Amino acid sequence: MVAARTDNEILPPQSLMQVPAVRQLGIMLGIAASVAIGVAVVLWSQTPNYALLYSSMAEKEVSEVLDSLNKLNIDYKIDAASGSVLVPAGKLDELRLKLAGQGLPRGGGIGFELLEKESSFGTSQLVEQARYQRAIEGEIARSITSIQNVRSARIHLALPKQSAFVRKRKKASASVFVNLYSGRGLEKGQVEAIVHLVASSVPQLESSNVTLVDQSGRLLSSESGSSDVLLTSKQFDYKQQVENHLIDRIETILTPLVGSSGMRAQVTADIDFTITERTQDSYNPEMPSLRSEQTEEQLSQTSSVQGVPGALSNQPPAAGVAPETATTEGAVAGDSQPLNSTKRATRNFELDKTITHTRLASGEIGRLSVAVVIDDQHLLGQDGNATQKAYTEEELMRMTSLVKQAVGFDVVRGDVVTVSNISFKMPEVLEALPELEIWEQGWFWDVVKQALGGLVVLFLIFGVLRPTLRSLMKPVEIKTISDAGEGVDVDGQKALPAGAEGGMSSASGEAGEEEILMLDSPSGYEKRVEFAQKMVDDDPKRVAQVVKTWVSTDG
C-alpha cells in the first residue's frame, strides 16, 4: 500500500506586476517620497550655517567684496531684506582677515565722486557748496580710516561764510567721530596726528577747534589746548624715554650674567627742564686803543684901561707893536699887557669788549636713582635637583660697578645705585581661560545637521523602504493535495487516513521519503542542511535507503 503524498511547492517572490494597481501606486509614491525626503535631508545637512560678513556697506564696496569672494571660490548669500553679505560661519574670521589684507571694505563714505555727478541747470550755489563740503568730509574720513586701529570715521565741518565786509570773522571748527576696532585704542600721538590732519585739510581751521570722539563717547582730543599742558606731557614722555633707555642698557649688560628672567631694574631720573638765557659784556683793560681825540686851545689878552667909563675910556687902544723879545710864560716883555692861554683835550679810548649770549639747554639729568634686584643662582646638583645659591659680595660689587658704568654714574650729581640679591618668588600657575562651550563653536551645528540628516536617511532606508520591499518580495507557499484525497492540515503536516499508524508505507524507501515530506518544511537553506544532518545522525541506514530510492527513480 502506497501512502498518499503531499507536495509543498514554494513559488518565487511576487513580481510588481502581480500586485494590485492601487497597491502599486501607493508603493511607488512611498518610494518616491522617501527618496525625495532623503535627498532633501542630505542637502540640508550639507548646507553650512551663514553669518553676517559686514554690515552698512555701500553698493560699490559690496560689489568689490563679492568679486573677492568669487576669486576665493567662497559660497555666499545676499540678504534680500538688508542687502548684507552672508558667508559660511566656519570661515567668517578667515574671510575677514583675507579681505582686510586686500583693504576691504574701504569705508569712509563718498569723496570727490560727488563732484562728478552732472548738475542740472537749476542747481543752486547752496547745493553746490554743500556738495563740495560733503566731498571734503568724505576724503578726510578716508584718510583717517587708513590708520591702523580705525574701522570707520565721520567728519562734520562747520565752515562759516566769509565776507569782506565783516571785521570780526568766525573761525571754522570740525568734529571727528571714529569707530575703533574691538579691543583697540588710539595713542596720544595718533590723536594729535588726526587732529592736525583735519586742521591742515581745511582752510582757516586751527587744531584747537577740532574735537575727536570715539564710539564710546570718550573725548580723545584736549579742549584746553594749553601749551603748558602740552609741554608737560612731552616732558613726561621724554623722562620716560630716558629712564627706559637706561633700563635697557642695564639689562643689556647684566642679561648675559644672570639671564633675562633673573633680574629687574628700575631707574628714576630727575630731569631739569629749566630754560636759562644769559647775556654778558666783558672788557679787557689791558688792550686800550684810541678811538677819537679832540683838542681846544684859547688865548686871551687882558685890557689895562681903567677909570670912570666915558669917552676917554672907550677909545680904542693904540696900534699894536710886535715885541722884540718874548718870555717863556707867554707874557709880553716891557710894558705889554699879559695874555691868558687855555687848552682842552678830549680823548676817547675803545677797550676790548666781548658780548656773550648763552642759552642753557633744557633736559639735563639732575640726579639718577637706580635700583636693581637680582635673583639667586639656579644650579643643578649632583642628584639632578635644582638648587638656589646667593651671589657673593664680591660678585654684587662687580655688578654694581657695571651698572654705574652703564648709566653714567656721577658722584657730583648725587647719583645712587643699589644692587640687591633677593630670591624671586615662583610665579603662580594661572588658570587657563575657559574655552567656549562645544555648542558655541562654529562647526557644532554643521555636525548636528549632518548627524540628523544621516539618521533621517537611515530611518527612511531601514524603516520605510526595506519593510516595503520585504513585504513585496515575500515568497508564496502553495501546497497541493495528492490523488488519494488526503488533506493537509493548517500546520502543513499531511493528514493520515483512518487506521494508518505513523503514516509510513511498508516499503522502507517510500517510508523514509514520506516521513521527510510529512515534517514541517524548513524556511531556509541552513535549516534544511541542519535537518538533513540530524536525520543522518539519527538513522543513517534509512537515509541511505532514501538516497538509493531517489537515484533509482531519477536515473
Side-chain angles (χ1 to χ4, degrees):
M1 178 178 179
V2 179
R5 296 181 56 183
T6 301
D7 297 332
N8 294 333
E9 297 182 4
I10 301 177
L11 297 180
Q14 298 184 41
S15 62
L16 189 60
M17 300 302 297
Q18 298 177 353
V19 181
V22 177
R23 188 177 179 185
Q24 291 182 12
L25 181 61
I27 293 174
M28 296 295 293
L29 292 177
I31 294 175
S34 301
V35 173
I37 294 174
V39 172
V41 169
V42 171
L43 294 178
W44 172 77
S45 63
Q46 296 297 325
T47 303
N49 292 327
Y50 285 85
L52 180 63
L53 181 60
Y54 291 112
S55 61
S56 302
M57 288 193 301
E59 295 180 357
K60 184 177 180 181
E61 294 179 352
V62 172
S63 63
E64 293 177 353
V65 170
L66 295 182
D67 292 340
S68 299
L69 293 178
N70 290 330
K71 293 179 181 178
L72 296 175
N73 296 326
I74 301 297
D75 296 333
Y76 60 86
K77 291 183 178 180
I78 299 178
D79 189 1
S82 62
S84 302
V85 180
L86 305 176
V87 296
K91 300 180 180 179
L92 179 61
D93 297 335
E94 180 182 357
L95 290 176
R96 285 182 176 178
L97 291 175
K98 291 182 178 180
L99 293 177
Q102 299 177 8
L104 296 175
R106 304 186 187 280
I110 302 177
F112 283 116
E113 294 86 354
L114 288 174
L115 302 181
E116 298 177 359
K117 295 183 178 180
E118 296 182 359
S119 299
S120 61
F121 182 76
T123 303
S124 63
Q125 184 180 2
L126 178 62
V127 175
E128 292 292 340
Q129 185 65 27
R131 184 179 297 177
Y132 175 72
Q133 180 175 339
R134 180 67 185 89
I136 293 178
E137 293 175 352
E139 291 294 332
I140 298 176
R142 285 181 177 178
S143 301
I144 294 176
T145 52
S146 300
I147 299 177
Q148 184 176 7
N149 295 337
V150 179
R151 173 181 291 175
S152 61
R154 294 190 64 184
I155 312 295
H156 304 281
L157 297 178
L159 304 178
K161 186 177 181 181
Q162 303 297 334
S163 175
F165 302 98
V166 178
R167 178 177 299 178
K168 189 176 180 181
R169 299 180 178 180
K170 295 183 179 179
K171 296 182 180 180
S173 60
S175 300
V176 182
F177 176 82
V178 292
N179 185 12
L180 306 178
Y181 286 102
S182 178
R184 300 184 185 179
L186 293 177
E187 299 178 356
K188 293 183 179 179
Q190 292 176 325
V191 172
E192 295 178 2
I194 293 175
V195 171
H196 286 82
L197 173 65
V198 177
S200 302
S201 303
V202 180
Q204 300 179 358
L205 177 60
E206 299 179 358
S207 301
S208 58
N209 294 332
V210 178
T211 304
L212 181 61
V213 183
D214 64 356
Q215 74 272 18
S216 301
R218 295 177 298 178
L219 180 64
L220 302 180
S221 61
S222 177
E223 292 183 345
S224 61
S226 175
S227 59
D228 297 336
V229 177
L230 182 61
L231 182 60
T232 303
S233 177
K234 290 184 177 180
Q235 290 175 356
F236 180 74
D237 294 339
Y238 176 76
K239 182 175 181 293
Q240 281 189 331
Q241 291 178 4
V242 172
E243 293 175 350
N244 293 334
H245 175 67
L246 295 177
I247 291 174
D248 293 340
R249 298 183 67 176
I250 295 173
E251 292 179 350
T252 301
I253 198 171
L254 291 184
T255 297
L257 302 178
V258 298
S260 59
S261 61
M263 60 164 296
R264 298 291 185 273
Q266 288 296 326
V267 176
T268 301
D270 295 336
I271 309 297
D272 185 11
F273 294 100
T274 304
I275 300 176
T276 304
E277 294 184 1
R278 181 189 303 168
T279 303
Q280 181 180 3
D281 296 345
S282 59
Y283 298 90
N284 188 3
E286 297 180 357
M287 299 179 62
S289 59
L290 182 62
R291 179 179 181 183
S292 62
E293 182 179 5
Q294 183 180 2
T295 304
E296 181 181 357
E297 183 176 359
Q298 184 179 2
L299 296 175
S300 63
Q301 184 178 6
T302 60
S303 176
S304 61
V305 180
Q306 298 180 356
V308 180
L312 296 176
S313 60
N314 290 332
Q315 293 179 357
V321 179
E324 297 181 355
T325 60
T327 61
T328 57
E329 283 84 8
V332 179
D335 295 336
S336 62
Q337 301 194 5
L339 297 175
N340 293 331
S341 177
T342 303
K343 292 183 178 181
R344 294 179 181 178
T346 302
R347 296 180 178 89
N348 294 325
F349 292 91
E350 189 72 28
L351 299 179
D352 186 15
K353 180 181 179 181
T354 304
I355 301 176
T356 305
H357 181 77
T358 306
R359 181 175 181 178
L360 300 179
S362 61
E364 294 183 355
I365 298 177
R367 184 172 180 270
L368 288 179
S369 299
V370 182
V372 181
V373 181
I374 300 177
D375 192 11
D376 292 340
Q377 304 181 60
H378 294 272
L379 304 176
L380 188 62
Q382 297 180 355
D383 55 353
N385 297 327
T387 59
Q388 295 183 352
K389 180 182 177 182
Y391 288 95
T392 61
E393 293 294 334
E394 182 180 357
E395 292 174 340
L396 292 178
M397 291 298 296
R398 286 187 297 175
M399 293 181 185
T400 304
S401 178
L402 292 175
V403 173
K404 289 181 178 180
Q405 296 296 328
V407 300
F409 180 80
D410 189 356
V411 181
V412 179
R413 293 185 310 200
D415 296 347
V416 178
V417 175
T418 304
V419 179
S420 304
N421 179 206
I422 301 175
S423 178
F424 289 179
K425 291 184 178 180
M426 297 298 295
E428 298 180 359
V429 179
L430 299 178
E431 296 182 0
L433 296 176
E435 297 182 356
L436 295 176
E437 299 294 341
I438 189 172
W439 56 83
E440 296 179 358
Q441 301 290 340
W443 52 266
F444 176 76
W445 294 109
D446 293 338
V447 175
V448 171
K449 290 173 62 176
Q450 294 180 3
L452 291 177
L455 293 177
V456 172
V457 171
L458 292 177
F459 172 76
L460 293 175
I461 294 175
F462 293 98
V464 178
L465 296 178
R466 185 179 178 183
T468 303
L469 295 177
R470 287 185 62 181
S471 62
L472 180 63
M473 305 302 294
K474 185 177 181 181
V476 180
E477 186 175 300
I478 301 176
K479 300 181 180 180
T480 59
I481 302 175
S482 63
D483 298 336
E486 291 86 354
V488 180
D489 61 0
V490 180
D491 296 334
Q493 292 183 352
K494 184 179 179 180
L496 300 177
E501 296 178 1
M504 292 183 296
S505 62
S506 58
S508 60
E510 293 180 357
E513 183 179 359
E514 289 176 359
E515 184 178 359
I516 295 175
L517 294 176
M518 289 175 63
L519 296 176
D520 292 337
S521 175
S523 61
Y525 176 78
E526 292 80 7
K527 292 184 177 181
R528 293 175 181 269
V529 174
E530 183 180 0
F531 179 78
Q533 290 177 353
K534 186 178 181 181
M535 290 293 296
V536 170
D537 294 338
D538 295 340
D539 195 355
K541 294 182 179 180
R542 182 177 297 181
V543 172
Q545 186 64 33
V546 171
V547 172
K548 290 180 180 180
T549 305
W550 289 348
V551 171
S552 59
T553 303
D554 296 336

